[in-house]
């Protein structure tokens, strides 16, 4: 009997280790998705072959900076990276929140880091107050302005609201120098409410912000005029603010850009943005061209339509999946490749599947491109932290 006891214990141990086994992925793509979903689900993740064939193998600086940020907002996270940086092991801790200050790497904009925080913030133990420093606007990632005008309304639909929810550009910093600063505060919620978003409604007004730093303030006015020249043909209610930050609030590099947001009767926000080419990285762009291109991008986004714009599809899907055990529906435009991959990861981490129905608007309706109706039953994910009243 004494001989067989360890054997019995051993099998139990094996079963436990099988139950809590982590997931393994290859390559550096969708790096943030994997770490964010790992943190929410509590499943550990191992990522191998990170740029192993590259001349410069391993994690990039901006990815290391992202891991450091996750480490700051959690408690008890274990991270192991091998010598060359090509293998990462990540065992998530508890989401702690509180006051966090982070110097984001200037290779990517603050939006790269913020997108992940938006997904995690409602499930923390303490309300999050994050100060992120770095590049606020660059051509690759969603800018802070776009997240402020589109992601915050999406969060409000899920019941994350109140005066604690704020996203503010304190200082603007353009690529490549950075020097910007962003303040993001978010309250915690025990559960998220389910949503029924199936009617986007017609566009009622267009708002925007044209910003310029370390260039002539006239640049912003030129952007506004060229964007209006296209949009005025469609709707009269257009107002584009100009934002010219000076002195220490203007960051370290010159640049300008435009973020446009179309609001519908049902409170859907669709957005598009354009940023000037970073200093010393290619052909300079004229403010007139930038304004016109951004207006066309907005019209494309409106054609794609849906109740959530394409930049926030994955944010809405993660909130739907983690909501109360009730049916949530959302009508989206075409799913972006990023969102499709996100759905696959949701299946891996949460065993969550969405019902996907395509809807083709008839020619007479003039409702834009094909739509996708996403339906799921929430996982009933609750915030386990005791401090919530």
């Amino acid at each position: 009997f004494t001989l067989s006891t360890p054997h019995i214990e051993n099998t139990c141990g094996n079963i436990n280790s099988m139950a809590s086994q982590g997931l393994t992925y290859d390559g550096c793509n969708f790096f943030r998705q994997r770490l964010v979903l790992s943190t929410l689900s509590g499943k550990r993740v191992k990522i191998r072959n990170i740029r192993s064939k590259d001349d410069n193998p391993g994690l990039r600086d901006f990815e290391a900076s992202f891991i450091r940020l996750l480490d700051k907002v959690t408690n008890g996270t274990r991270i192991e990276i091998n010598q060359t940086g090509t293998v990462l092991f990540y065992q998530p801790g508890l989401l702690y929140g509180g006051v966090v200050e982070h110097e984001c790497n200037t290779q990517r904009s603050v939006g790269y880091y913020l997108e992940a925080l938006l997904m995690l913030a409602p499930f923390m133990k303490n309300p999050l107050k994050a100060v992120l420093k770095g590049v606020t606007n660059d051509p690759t990632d969603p800018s802070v302005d776009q997240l402020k005008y589109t992601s915050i309304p999406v969060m409000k639909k899920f019941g994350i609201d109140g005066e604690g929810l704020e996203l503010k550009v304190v200082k603007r910093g353009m690529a490549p120098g950075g020097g910007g600063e962003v303040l993001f505060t978010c309250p915690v919620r025990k559960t998220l409410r389910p949503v029924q978003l199936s009617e986007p409604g017609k566009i009622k007004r267009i708002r925007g912000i044209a910003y310029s730093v370390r260039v002539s303030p006239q640049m912003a006015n030129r952007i506004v005029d060229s964007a209006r020249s296209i949009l005025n043909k469609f709707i009269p209610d257009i107002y584009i603010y100009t934002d010219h930050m000076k002195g220490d609030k203007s960051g370290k590099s010159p640049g300008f850009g435009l973020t446009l947001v179309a609001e519908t009767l049902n409170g859907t926000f669709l957005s598009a943005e354009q940023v000037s080419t970073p200093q010393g990285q290619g052909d300079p762009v004229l403010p007139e061209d930038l304004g016109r291109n951004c207006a066309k991008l907005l019209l494309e986004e409106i054609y794609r339509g849906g109740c959530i714009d394409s930049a926030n599809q994955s944010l809405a899907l993660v909130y739907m999946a983690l909501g109360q055990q009730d049916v949530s529906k959302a009508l989206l435009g075409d799913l972006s490749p990023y969102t499709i991959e996100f759905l696959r990861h949701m299946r891996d981490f949460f065993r969550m599947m969405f019902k996907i129905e395509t809807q083709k608007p008839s020619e007479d309706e003039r409702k834009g491109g094909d739509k996708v109706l996403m339906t799921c039953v929430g996982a009933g994910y609750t915030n386990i932290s005791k401090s919530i009243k």
Side-chain angles (χ1 to χ4, degrees), residues 29-42:
N29 278 352
F30 312 106
F31 180 76
R32 286 179 306 167
Q33 289 186 8
R34 289 165 184 169
L35 294 191
V36 165
L37 290 174
S38 161
T39 310
L40 285 171
S41 66

Side-chain angles (χ1 to χ4, degrees), residues 206-227:
I206 292 174
R207 293 287 177 265
I209 182 164
Y211 48 85
S212 55
V213 290
R214 298 188 174 268
V215 294
S216 156
Q218 205 49 44
M219 290 289 196
N221 299 340
R222 286 164 65 185
I223 293 174
V224 172
D225 292 342
S226 60

Side-chain angles (χ1 to χ4, degrees), residues 11-25:
T11 50
C12 298
N14 285 347
I15 292 165
N16 287 341
S17 66
M18 278 160 68
S20 63
Q21 223 163 18
L23 294 148
T24 308
Y25 290 104

Side-chain angles (χ1 to χ4, degrees), residues 36-199:
V36 165
L37 290 174
S38 161
T39 310
L40 285 171
S41 66
K43 289 186 180 170
R44 55 178 190 264
V45 67
K46 185 178 183 181
I47 303 175
R48 297 180 310 205
N49 300 334
I50 302 175
R51 302 190 181 86
S52 50
K53 303 266 194 296
D54 210 84
D55 296 345
N56 179 13
L59 289 168
R60 294 279 175 271
D61 291 347
F62 66 87
E63 290 166 331
S65 175
F66 180 75
I67 297 171
R68 274 197 291 277
L69 176 62
L70 285 183
D71 193 38
K72 282 179 189 173
V73 296
T74 56
N75 195 353
T77 298
R78 227 178 87 227
I79 300 152
E80 290 169 22
I81 300 169
N82 71 346
Q83 203 91 41
T84 51
T86 51
V87 179
L88 164 77
F89 173 77
Y90 179 85
Q91 183 160 1
L94 293 173
L95 283 163
Y96 189 74
V99 180
V100 173
E101 194 169 303
H102 187 65
E103 195 70 53
C104 301
N105 192 282
T106 51
Q107 292 171 348
R108 299 296 289 260
S109 92
V110 167
Y112 174 85
Y113 301 89
L114 254 181
E115 278 190 304
L117 283 186
L118 290 170
M119 290 183 182
L120 299 173
F123 306 109
M124 304 219 171
K125 179 172 182 179
N126 302 312
L128 180 70
K129 182 184 178 191
V131 177
L132 303 176
K133 296 177 179 174
V135 176
T136 55
N137 306 83
D138 79 345
T140 43
D141 297 301
S143 72
V144 178
D145 303 277
Q146 186 177 14
L147 294 175
K148 177 179 174 177
Y149 291 121
T150 59
S151 304
I152 299 293
V154 168
M155 292 172 82
K156 286 181 176 165
K157 286 190 172 123
F158 286 90
I160 308 159
D161 47 15
E163 55 257 30
L165 183 65
E166 187 190 18
L167 181 53
K168 189 165 127 197
V169 183
V170 184
K171 298 177 186 171
R172 209 175 269 289
M174 305 295 282
E181 187 177 311
V182 174
L183 172 71
F184 171 55
T185 59
C186 179
V188 285
R189 288 286 173 267
K190 195 152 178 69
T191 52
L192 299 185
R193 67 165 174 244
V195 293
Q196 303 288 327
L197 306 171
S198 51
E199 268 304 315

